[in-house]
């Protein structure tokens, strides 16, 4: 695999999973064989096949081929809490070499990967492990998903500052409509375009039951840029 991006968000509930799955759908529709990955997921359901996370399964549904769940989501935790707390409760320490191996396995049958983070950028993965460590280990540029709601300017600008301070590349950002009642939406978008210092890769409208395949045209420009 020669290319991949890491999807982070301004906060939990910013729309990362829908944005990641929509980007997958757009890239695959654009002729780029793309797979999704959710290295760490907390809030998983116990099934006969083991712990399963809805966000990881959404990525699989919009990935090319049929990637193995264990490679898409190598660390799955039952409790819907911060990942470092969920891992500690399960008695597990997240190991980047395991994630790297899963990433390499996914790369054997794909041209591109969309790797979705957990929570916001600063959500810890372990006592000394941050998401920035994962991004640096896999050499991934970052796309920031901005949930459009009151407070998004502060969250987005702080997140962008933190991403850059951690030595990662902010390749662009995607706006995600999460609040239908947001005041001055277009003015907020204009401020983000002016101040984030990275290209806007698309604006996803609010949808009560979002379908990434239907939303994919909103990220055509993003998929074309990444493909290039």
């Amino acid at each position: 695999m020669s290319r991949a991006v890491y999807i982070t968000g301004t906060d939990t509930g910013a729309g990362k999973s829908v944005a990641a799955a929509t980007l997958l759908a757009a890239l695959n529709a654009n002729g780029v064989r793309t797979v999704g990955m959710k290295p760490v997921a907390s809030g998983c359901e116990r099934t006969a096949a083991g712990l399963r996370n809805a966000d990881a399964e959404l990525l699989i549904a919009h990935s090319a081929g049929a990637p193995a769940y264990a490679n898409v989501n190598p660390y799955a935790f039952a409790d819907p809490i911060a990942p470092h707390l969920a891992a500690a409760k399960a008695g597990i320490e997240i190991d980047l070499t395991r994630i790297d191996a899963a990433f390499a396995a996914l790369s054997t049958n794909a041209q591109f990967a969309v790797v979705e983070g957990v929570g916001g950028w600063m959500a810890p993965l372990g006592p000394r492990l941050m998401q920035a460590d994962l991004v640096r280990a896999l050499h991934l540029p970052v796309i920031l998903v901005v949930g459009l709601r009151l407070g998004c300017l502060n969250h987005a600008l702080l997140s962008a500052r933190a991403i850059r301070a951690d030595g990662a590349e902010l390749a662009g950002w995607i706006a995600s409509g999460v609040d239908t009642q947001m005041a001055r939406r277009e003015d907020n978008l204009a401020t983000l375009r002016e101040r984030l210092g990275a290209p806007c890769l698309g604006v996803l409208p609010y949808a009560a039951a979002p379908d990434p395949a239907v939303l994919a045209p909103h990220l055509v420009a993003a998929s074309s840029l990444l493909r290039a």
Side-chain angles (χ1 to χ4, degrees):
M1 183 186 302
S2 60
R3 294 171 293 173
V5 292
Y6 191 82
I7 306 293
T8 192
T10 45
D11 201 354
T12 298
K16 287 192 314 297
S17 296
V18 171
T22 301
L23 186 56
L24 280 169
L27 282 161
N28 280 306
N30 206 4
V32 181
R33 188 173 178 83
T34 308
V35 297
M37 184 181 188
K38 177 100 175 168
V40 180
S42 51
C44 300
E45 182 181 353
R46 296 188 185 278
T47 74
L51 289 170
R52 293 293 182 265
N53 176 261
D55 294 341
E57 291 184 321
L58 180 67
L59 296 180
I60 291 171
H62 293 278
S63 292
Y69 187 90
N71 290 330
V72 172
N73 180 209
Y75 286 101
F77 302 110
D79 293 307
I81 55 179
H84 71 299
L85 298 178
K89 183 176 179 180
I92 293 172
E93 184 171 348
I94 294 172
D95 184 354
L96 292 183
T97 59
R98 179 173 167 183
I99 294 174
D100 184 59
F103 182 79
L106 289 173
S107 75
T108 61
N109 196 33
Q111 298 169 286
F112 201 98
V114 175
V115 182
E116 182 192 347
V118 55
W121 177 254
M122 295 301 292
L125 298 180
R128 294 166 298 279
L129 188 66
M130 299 296 290
Q131 291 186 71
D133 298 309
L134 170 56
V135 166
R136 286 192 293 262
L138 297 182
H139 308 289
L140 303 178
V142 177
I143 293 176
L144 175 65
V145 178
V146 180
L148 294 177
R149 56 190 171 203
L150 184 63
C152 70
L153 299 181
N154 178 62
H155 288 164
L157 293 171
L158 283 175
S159 295
R161 178 180 292 181
I163 290 166
R164 291 177 172 126
D166 282 335
E169 175 194 353
L170 181 59
W173 57 280
I174 295 170
S176 173
V178 296
D179 181 3
T180 58
Q181 304 302 315
M182 183 184 185
R184 307 289 291 270
R185 178 179 180 274
E186 295 305 316
D187 290 335
N188 277 267
L189 279 169
T191 301
L192 290 167
R193 287 189 174 99
E194 176 186 352
R195 299 192 178 215
L196 274 179
C200 177
L201 301 177
V203 179
L204 297 177
Y206 173 83
D211 182 342
V214 173
L215 292 172
H218 293 280
L219 295 186
V220 167
S223 67
S224 296
L225 178 63
L226 294 174
R227 185 184 185 194

